[in-house]
Each structure stands twice: as structure tokens, then as C-alpha cells.
Amino acid sequence: MRDADLKKYYRIREVAEILGVPLSTLRYWEQEFPSIRPKRGANGTRLYSANDIERARMIHFLLKVKGLKIDAAKAQINNNPSGVARQAAAVERLIKIRDELQGMLSAVTRHR
């Protein structure tokens, strides 16, 4: 189960930890990408929904993993949002599989 499926809303700090980016990066992405619009709590705290987190994951994938510039990432999201989402999810699954395999390899080499 993905982190974004566990709660209804996440604070900006939690989203930053999930994605591994600074808080300032998320605030910047909010300005650049209108698809990320967290709600605000009574005290002004940003509250990200699961959809906001998934959009942020797509942006993270395009900017940090694929290395695209902001304008190119915007174009990709506008032209093929479902394709970007599928590709980002596939890469995320592959990274998790790689991490699991590396953990298994480490365990095997420790027992030799």
C-alpha cells in the first residue's frame, strides 16, 4: 500500500519526507504546477490529499528522475498525464524491487 493511501490529508512536511524533497521545493512546485493545490487548514497549514501527492510524485519523476526542465515537465503533464503517471508508477515499482533485491544480496553475502 502506498503512503498516500493511509490518511486523508498529509502536512507538507510529511509529503516532503515521502518524496525526499525539501519543503521549499514543494512550495515552488505549487506555484509552477496548478495541478497541485493543497487545502489550507484553519491555521494556514497545507493539507495534501492523496491526489496532490500523486501529482507531486509525477512532477518529482519528471524533474528529478528523468531530469526534465520545468517547461518540459509541464508540457509532458499537459500532453499525456496518464502516460506520465503510468511511467512514474512503473519506475517507482522497479526502484522498490531493486532495493529489495539489493537487501537480499546483502543478506546472502553476510551469511557466507
Side-chain angles (χ1 to χ4, degrees):
M1 179 177 265
R2 300 181 106 179
D3 294 337
D5 294 334
L6 299 177
K7 294 192 325 188
K8 188 170 183 173
Y9 291 105
Y10 286 77
R11 296 178 185 265
I12 191 170
R13 184 170 309 283
E14 295 170 304
V15 177
E17 288 175 13
I18 289 168
L19 298 176
V21 299
L23 301 175
S24 59
T25 298
L26 286 173
R27 288 190 290 266
Y28 177 71
W29 288 352
E30 287 175 26
Q31 294 173 1
E32 292 295 321
F33 296 91
S35 61
I36 300 178
R37 288 289 173 250
K39 291 184 178 187
R40 297 285 183 141
N43 60 356
T45 303
R46 287 170 170 85
L47 299 172
Y48 287 80
S49 68
N51 287 334
D52 291 324
I53 295 172
E54 289 309 309
R55 289 183 205 113
R57 283 184 200 272
M58 281 189 342
I59 293 165
H60 180 270
F61 168 73
L62 292 171
L63 298 177
K64 304 295 183 184
V65 177
K66 284 187 82 171
L68 297 180
K69 303 289 184 196
I70 294 283
D71 290 336
K74 286 179 184 179
Q76 289 256 333
I77 289 171
N78 289 336
N79 295 334
N80 188 10
S82 61
V84 172
R86 282 192 310 272
Q87 193 176 31
V91 168
E92 187 176 324
R93 282 191 305 272
L94 289 171
I95 289 170
K96 286 180 182 179
I97 291 169
R98 180 194 65 197
D99 292 345
E100 288 178 23
L101 290 172
Q102 286 176 332
M104 289 179 201
L105 182 60
S106 295
V108 167
T109 57
R110 278 195 308 266
H111 291 319
R112 284 185 165 181

Coordinates of all heavy atoms in Angstrom, one line a residue, residues 74-104:
K74 N 6.0 20.5 -17.6 CA 4.6 21.0 -17.8 C 4.0 20.5 -19.1 O 2.9 20.1 -19.1 CB 4.6 22.5 -17.8 CG 4.9 23.1 -16.4 CD 4.9 24.6 -16.6 CE 5.2 25.3 -15.3 NZ 5.2 26.8 -15.4
A75 N 4.8 20.5 -20.1 CA 4.3 20.0 -21.4 C 3.9 18.5 -21.4 O 2.9 18.1 -21.9 CB 5.4 20.3 -22.5
Q76 N 4.8 17.7 -20.8 CA 4.5 16.3 -20.6 C 3.2 16.1 -19.9 O 2.4 15.2 -20.2 CB 5.7 15.6 -19.9 CG 6.9 15.5 -20.7 CD 7.1 14.1 -21.2 OE1 6.6 13.1 -20.6 NE2 7.8 14.0 -22.3
I77 N 3.0 16.8 -18.8 CA 1.8 16.6 -17.9 C 0.6 17.1 -18.7 O -0.4 16.4 -18.7 CB 2.0 17.4 -16.6 CG1 3.0 16.7 -15.7 CG2 0.6 17.5 -15.9 CD1 3.4 17.4 -14.5
N78 N 0.7 18.2 -19.4 CA -0.4 18.7 -20.2 C -0.8 17.7 -21.4 O -1.9 17.5 -21.7 CB -0.2 20.1 -20.7 CG -0.2 21.1 -19.6 OD1 -0.8 20.9 -18.6 ND2 0.5 22.2 -19.8
N79 N 0.2 17.2 -22.1 CA 0.0 16.4 -23.3 C -0.4 14.9 -23.0 O -1.1 14.3 -23.7 CB 1.2 16.4 -24.2 CG 1.5 17.8 -24.7 OD1 0.6 18.6 -24.8 ND2 2.8 18.1 -25.0
N80 N 0.2 14.4 -21.9 CA 0.0 12.9 -21.6 C 0.0 12.6 -20.1 O 0.9 11.9 -19.7 CB 1.0 12.1 -22.4 CG 0.8 10.6 -22.3 OD1 -0.3 10.2 -21.9 ND2 1.8 9.9 -22.8
P81 N -0.9 13.2 -19.4 CA -0.9 13.0 -17.9 C -1.0 11.5 -17.5 O -0.3 11.1 -16.6 CB -2.0 13.8 -17.4 CG -2.9 14.0 -18.5 CD -2.1 14.0 -19.8
S82 N -1.8 10.7 -18.2 CA -2.0 9.3 -17.8 C -0.7 8.5 -18.1 O -0.3 7.6 -17.4 CB -3.2 8.7 -18.4 OG -3.1 8.7 -19.8
G83 N -0.1 8.8 -19.2 CA 1.2 8.2 -19.6 C 2.3 8.5 -18.6 O 3.1 7.6 -18.2
V84 N 2.4 9.7 -18.2 CA 3.4 10.1 -17.2 C 3.1 9.4 -15.9 O 4.1 8.9 -15.3 CB 3.4 11.7 -17.0 CG1 4.3 12.0 -15.8 CG2 3.8 12.4 -18.3
A85 N 1.9 9.3 -15.5 CA 1.5 8.7 -14.2 C 1.9 7.2 -14.3 O 2.5 6.6 -13.3 CB 0.0 8.8 -13.9
R86 N 1.6 6.5 -15.4 CA 1.9 5.1 -15.5 C 3.4 4.9 -15.5 O 4.0 4.0 -14.9 CB 1.3 4.5 -16.8 CG -0.1 4.2 -16.7 CD -0.6 3.4 -17.9 NE -0.2 3.9 -19.2 CZ -0.9 4.8 -19.9 NH1 -2.0 5.3 -19.5 NH2 -0.4 5.2 -21.1
Q87 N 4.2 5.7 -16.2 CA 5.6 5.6 -16.3 C 6.2 5.9 -14.9 O 7.1 5.1 -14.5 CB 6.2 6.6 -17.3 CG 7.6 6.4 -17.7 CD 8.0 7.3 -18.8 OE1 7.5 8.5 -18.9 NE2 9.0 6.9 -19.6
A88 N 5.8 6.9 -14.2 CA 6.3 7.2 -12.9 C 6.0 6.0 -11.9 O 6.9 5.6 -11.1 CB 5.6 8.5 -12.3
A89 N 4.8 5.4 -12.0 CA 4.5 4.3 -11.1 C 5.4 3.1 -11.4 O 5.8 2.4 -10.5 CB 3.0 3.9 -11.3
A90 N 5.6 2.8 -12.7 CA 6.5 1.7 -13.1 C 7.9 1.9 -12.6 O 8.5 1.0 -12.1 CB 6.5 1.5 -14.6
V91 N 8.4 3.1 -12.7 CA 9.8 3.3 -12.3 C 9.8 3.2 -10.7 O 10.8 2.6 -10.2 CB 10.3 4.7 -12.7 CG1 11.5 5.1 -12.0 CG2 10.5 4.7 -14.2
E92 N 8.8 3.7 -10.1 CA 8.8 3.6 -8.6 C 8.8 2.1 -8.2 O 9.5 1.7 -7.2 CB 7.5 4.3 -8.0 CG 7.5 4.4 -6.5 CD 6.3 5.2 -6.1 OE1 5.9 6.2 -6.7 OE2 5.8 4.8 -5.0
R93 N 8.0 1.3 -8.9 CA 7.9 -0.2 -8.5 C 9.3 -0.8 -8.8 O 9.8 -1.6 -8.0 CB 6.9 -0.9 -9.4 CG 5.5 -0.7 -8.8 CD 4.4 -1.6 -9.5 NE 4.4 -1.5 -10.9 CZ 3.7 -0.7 -11.7 NH1 2.9 0.2 -11.0 NH2 3.7 -0.7 -13.0
L94 N 9.9 -0.4 -9.9 CA 11.2 -1.0 -10.2 C 12.3 -0.6 -9.2 O 13.2 -1.4 -8.8 CB 11.7 -0.6 -11.6 CG 10.9 -1.2 -12.8 CD1 11.3 -0.5 -14.1 CD2 11.2 -2.7 -12.8
I95 N 12.2 0.6 -8.7 CA 13.2 1.0 -7.7 C 13.0 0.2 -6.4 O 14.0 -0.2 -5.8 CB 13.0 2.6 -7.4 CG1 13.6 3.3 -8.6 CG2 13.8 3.0 -6.2 CD1 13.3 4.8 -8.6
K96 N 11.7 0.0 -6.0 CA 11.4 -0.8 -4.8 C 11.9 -2.2 -5.0 O 12.5 -2.8 -4.1 CB 10.0 -0.8 -4.5 CG 9.5 0.5 -3.9 CD 8.0 0.5 -3.6 CE 7.6 1.8 -3.1 NZ 6.2 1.9 -2.8
I97 N 11.7 -2.8 -6.2 CA 12.2 -4.2 -6.5 C 13.7 -4.2 -6.4 O 14.3 -5.1 -5.8 CB 11.7 -4.7 -7.8 CG1 10.2 -4.9 -7.8 CG2 12.5 -5.9 -8.3 CD1 9.6 -5.1 -9.2
R98 N 14.4 -3.2 -7.0 CA 15.9 -3.2 -6.9 C 16.3 -3.1 -5.5 O 17.3 -3.8 -5.1 CB 16.4 -1.9 -7.7 CG 17.9 -1.8 -7.7 CD 18.4 -0.5 -8.1 NE 18.0 0.5 -7.2 CZ 18.0 1.8 -7.4 NH1 18.4 2.3 -8.6 NH2 17.6 2.6 -6.5
D99 N 15.7 -2.3 -4.7 CA 16.1 -2.1 -3.3 C 15.9 -3.5 -2.5 O 16.8 -3.8 -1.7 CB 15.3 -1.0 -2.6 CG 15.6 0.4 -3.1 OD1 16.7 0.5 -3.8 OD2 14.9 1.3 -2.8
E100 N 14.8 -4.2 -2.8 CA 14.6 -5.5 -2.2 C 15.7 -6.5 -2.6 O 16.2 -7.2 -1.8 CB 13.2 -6.0 -2.5 CG 12.1 -5.3 -1.8 CD 10.7 -5.8 -2.2 OE1 10.6 -7.0 -2.7 OE2 9.7 -5.1 -2.1
L101 N 16.0 -6.5 -3.9 CA 17.0 -7.4 -4.4 C 18.4 -7.1 -3.8 O 19.1 -8.0 -3.4 CB 17.1 -7.4 -5.9 CG 15.9 -8.0 -6.6 CD1 16.0 -7.7 -8.1 CD2 15.8 -9.5 -6.3
Q102 N 18.7 -5.8 -3.6 CA 19.9 -5.4 -3.0 C 20.0 -5.9 -1.6 O 21.0 -6.3 -1.1 CB 20.2 -3.9 -3.1 CG 20.6 -3.5 -4.5 CD 20.7 -2.0 -4.7 OE1 20.1 -1.2 -4.0 NE2 21.6 -1.6 -5.6
G103 N 18.8 -5.8 -0.9 CA 18.8 -6.2 0.5 C 19.0 -7.7 0.6 O 19.7 -8.2 1.5
M104 N 18.4 -8.5 -0.3 CA 18.6 -9.9 -0.3 C 20.0 -10.3 -0.6 O 20.6 -11.2 0.0 CB 17.6 -10.6 -1.4 CG 16.2 -10.5 -1.0 SD 15.3 -11.3 -2.4 CE 13.7 -10.6 -2.2

